[in-house]
Amino acid sequence: MAYLAMVMFVALVGFGRDYFHWSGSHVELALFATFVFGIICGFKVKG
């Protein structure tokens, strides 16, 4: 499941602008921050 989430994240950052007609880099920044916070929370829950 983690691999699927990573693939979806990379696809959204790489192709989200073209597919969803997003403008600006704020969306990519928000997606990246969500990914990083998800990793941090996953480590806290696991450990």
Side-chain angles (χ1 to χ4, degrees):
M1 191 58 106
Y3 294 117
L4 178 62
M6 284 190 281
V7 168
M8 289 174 63
F9 171 76
V10 170
L12 279 175
V13 171
F15 305 108
R17 181 176 296 204
D18 297 329
Y19 188 74
F20 294 110
H21 305 290
W22 290 336
S23 62
S25 62
H26 295 294
V27 175
E28 280 125 3
L29 181 64
L31 285 170
F32 181 72
T34 304
F35 184 69
V36 171
F37 293 149
I39 290 173
I40 292 169
C41 291
F43 281 132
K44 285 189 176 189
V45 169
K46 218 176 190 184

